Amino acid sequence: MRKVLAAVGLMGSLVMGAPSYAAELGQISGPGATHMWGGFYVGVNAGYGWGSSEWPQLDKNYSDDGWLAGATGGFNIDSGDWIFGFEMDYDWTGMSGSQTGYPFYESPRYYDQRHVSTDLETLGTARVRAGYDVGDATNPLLLYVTGGLAFGNVKASLHETYCDGETCSTYGGSDRKVQFGWAYGAGAEYAFDDSWSAKLEYLRVDLRDHTYSIPNVDQPPLDVSVGPIDIVRVGLNYHF
């Protein structure tokens, strides 16, 4: 959790320093520069994601999906029609998934039910961007590719019901971890005003494996992977 807070703090530092540095650092304009991409920007984003989660030791694999929304901050270097930059975002998400396994026998107890689930509570990325402005002075349109680090706060839950004759008991719990992985994708961003732009973006995110210790169950530490996740989202940015 400390790593996530540090990443968010870095994004906040970039945003707070934007007004004083954007004009000096952002504009490296070549002969073809006709737009306002250079400098710092902040914004909001919202979208939808879908993917999968896996518990390999329990042979569980299922789909996840849900909404996400949050804040964006970044910096561009404008070199003519070519744009290079760095962007961070931090989103709250409703992405989740689960799977329930029904009766199987494991001596000396009868497992009536095993239920696993994952909840991706937050998701952040820190990425480089490189793009080309295919528009003109009145209709700047930036097409770009992007890639970098991804990190997410994941809650993994496991509950098992044991039945012995007519008596059944349920045990289980949850564990939370910050999982790290990668993100890459592409997008299009249109500047509809001197200071405002709107974007459409696709990202593919994979948070890889992490080991979870689930309380109150007769299981060793379990590996859980989240991803790959496909995300489509829109964004609105203000450029300083």
Side-chain angles (χ1 to χ4, degrees):
M1 189 62 189
R2 289 193 299 270
K3 295 179 181 179
V4 175
L5 293 175
V8 176
L10 175 59
M11 186 173 74
S13 298
L14 287 173
V15 172
M16 292 299 293
S20 59
Y21 294 108
E24 297 178 14
L25 299 179
Q27 301 293 337
I28 305 178
S29 299
T34 58
H35 38 64
M36 36 57 74
W37 297 118
F40 284 94
Y41 60 91
V42 294
V44 294
N45 71 81
Y48 192 81
W50 63 96
S52 63
S53 291
E54 183 178 12
W55 300 60
Q57 290 134 302
L58 300 182
D59 194 28
K60 301 295 184 185
N61 191 309
Y62 50 87
S63 298
D64 300 308
D65 66 332
W67 57 268
L68 66 161
T72 304
F75 177 78
N76 289 323
I77 295 176
D78 184 339
S79 182
D81 287 327
W82 289 97
I83 310 297
F84 304 95
F86 176 78
E87 182 173 282
M88 295 185 69
D89 52 66
Y90 192 75
D91 287 7
W92 288 263
T93 97
M95 294 189 62
S96 63
S98 65
Q99 188 176 73
T100 300
Y102 286 97
F104 66 94
Y105 182 78
E106 185 173 310
S107 180
R109 292 180 294 185
Y110 184 82
Y111 286 50
D112 184 58
Q113 185 185 87
R114 174 179 285 161
H115 180 83
V116 297
S117 65
T118 46
D119 295 275
L120 179 58
E121 297 178 328
T122 61
L123 175 67
T125 71
R127 297 168 285 107
V128 295
R129 298 201 313 168
Y132 188 81
D133 190 337
V134 299
D136 54 33
T138 56
N139 293 289
L141 177 61
L142 176 65
L143 303 182
Y144 63 88
V145 293
T146 183
L149 172 72
F151 52 94
N153 186 37
V154 178
K155 183 175 90 170
S157 303
L158 167 63
H159 292 88
E160 294 178 336
T161 298
Y162 306 139
C163 292
D164 183 7
E166 296 182 355
T167 303
C168 294
S169 301
T170 299
Y171 304 90
S174 302
D175 190 16
R176 283 182 170 87
K177 301 288 185 182
V178 177
Q179 294 189 206
F180 288 86
W182 45 259
Y184 67 86
E189 188 167 0
Y190 176 71
F192 59 88
D193 183 82
D194 289 343
S195 298
W196 292 94
S197 66
K199 72 176 182 180
L200 175 65
E201 183 175 72
Y202 165 80
L203 288 179
R204 189 169 178 86
V205 176
D206 196 333
L207 295 180
R208 315 303 294 168
D209 292 340
H210 206 300
T211 301
Y212 289 77
S213 298
I214 308 296
N216 307 316
V217 292
D218 186 19
Q219 295 288 347
L222 297 168
D223 294 331
V224 179
S225 64
V226 177
I229 302 168
D230 296 300
I231 296 171
V232 175
R233 61 186 180 182
V234 295
L236 181 67
N237 292 328
Y238 178 80
H239 300 256
F240 293 96

